[in-house]
Amino acid sequence: MLYLVATPIGNLGDITLRAVDVLRAVDVIASEDTRKTGILLKHFDIRKPQLAFQEHNEARAGERIMTMLAEGQSVALVTEAGTPGISDPGFTLVRRAIAAGETVTVVPGPTALIVALVLSGLAVHSFTFRGFPPRKPGARRNFLAMDRESPHTLIFYESPYRVEAFLRDALEVYGDRAAALARELTKLHETVQRGRLSELLAAVGQTTPKGEYVVLIAGAGAPSPLRELEGVETES
Ligand code: SAM
């Protein structure tokens, strides 16, 4: 049996009781980052062998995991943070396990995009998750342009090193839409900035962006969020 186990995105208290039970019960834990998962396991006093399952060894490690599953062993897949498969390794393993007739299940938990969406103040009834945009400006603008007409709230993951360039391109492609910048969610320095893309761009330009970011942008023609959400405000 393959368990896809979601882990906290910052606050260790967000692990679920079931995740702890499953991690205690399985034969092996396949981890994207064995060091980080080691900290999590130690915190919850879970002693289990780990097997590295990363983007660069996904094919080989996946083969090993498939052999274990075929032998009747139970494997939990965890990534560095959040839900496996969401902008993280896991998708190919899930497909292989399904194709091989193995039972696959999820132990649900945090995922940054949902935490950011519900905090953004933007429309939540309909959204499109676009993951990480390309790093190069031309490719990034083309990627953004694909959703120019989309009425759904757009959600992106972005590195602190590129968030300013991303906002500049987004402003150029979409115009000055309502948006939100969610940073360090569930952590000590959690902040959500809400405002027009131009306002967020100006705010980011005044600091050195640090930490993990989710960027959210209102869909085309979306009604303006509540008046009080206009203008950059910060929560902690
Ligand atoms: N699997 C994870 C999930 O379920 O959200 C996402 C992994 S992806 C490699 C990492 C990206 O997710 C970060 O660059 C950032 O965009 C976003 N992210 C993860 N944790 C976050 C947090 N605590 N606050 C804000 N963004 C976060």
Side-chain angles (χ1 to χ4, degrees):
M1 174 108 159
L2 175 65
Y3 295 88
L4 307 168
V5 180
T7 54
I9 58 168
N11 188 325
L12 287 185
D14 291 336
I15 191 113
T16 67
L17 297 174
R18 193 167 154 234
V20 172
D21 285 347
V22 167
L23 293 174
R24 284 215 171 100
V26 290
D27 295 304
V28 177
I29 299 173
S31 319
E32 182 191 12
D33 183 330
T34 51
R35 191 190 65 83
K36 276 215 167 160
T37 300
I39 295 170
L40 183 82
L41 298 181
K42 192 157 181 244
H43 186 83
F44 292 100
D45 197 24
I46 300 169
R47 292 150 214 229
K48 278 292 148 174
Q50 289 193 62
L51 183 158
F53 181 81
Q54 293 142 349
E55 212 176 333
H56 73 267
N57 78 348
E58 214 170 328
R60 199 161 24 89
E63 198 66 50
R64 251 183 98 189
I65 293 169
M66 291 306 298
T67 305
M68 289 173 177
L69 294 173
E71 287 168 352
Q73 296 195 56
S74 54
V75 179
L77 175 69
V78 301
T79 52
E80 191 187 325
T83 300
I86 302 295
S87 297
D88 262 344
F91 170 68
T92 56
L93 183 63
V94 171
R95 289 190 97 163
R96 281 173 81 161
I98 292 169
E102 298 292 347
T103 308
V104 184
T105 191
V106 173
V107 179
T111 190
L113 72 111
I114 298 296
V115 180
L117 178 64
V118 295
L119 276 176
S120 69
L122 300 174
V124 293
H125 60 275
S126 165
F127 60 90
T128 302
F129 174 57
R130 299 290 275 125
F132 286 102
R135 295 173 179 207
K136 296 203 173 136
R140 186 167 53 222
R141 281 195 288 270
N142 290 339
F143 174 88
L144 294 176
M146 279 190 258
D147 292 301
R148 195 184 274 127
E149 310 303 329
S150 167
H152 315 296
T153 300
L154 302 173
I155 308 175
F156 304 88
Y157 284 168
E158 190 50 289
S159 139
Y161 307 110
R162 284 182 291 279
V163 74
E164 188 175 351
F166 174 88
L167 290 171
R168 196 171 299 118
D169 282 351
L171 178 59
E172 190 182 311
V173 172
Y174 300 129
D176 206 5
R177 292 193 194 171
L181 207 51
R183 178 179 163 266
E184 295 290 85
L185 295 165
T186 78
K187 302 184 197 177
L188 188 62
H189 298 294
E190 172 178 295
T191 54
V192 183
Q193 294 170 288
R194 306 176 182 88
R196 297 275 152 195
L197 280 168
S198 59
E199 294 169 317
L200 297 178
L201 180 60
V204 160
Q206 282 162 17
T207 57
T208 308
K210 271 193 257 167
E212 300 197 274
Y213 283 87
V214 183
V215 187
L216 306 101
I217 302 173
S224 182
L226 300 172
R227 278 267 166 265
E228 59 265 31
L229 295 183
E230 305 241 347
V232 177
E233 63 175 48
T234 303
E235 275 182 5
S236 46

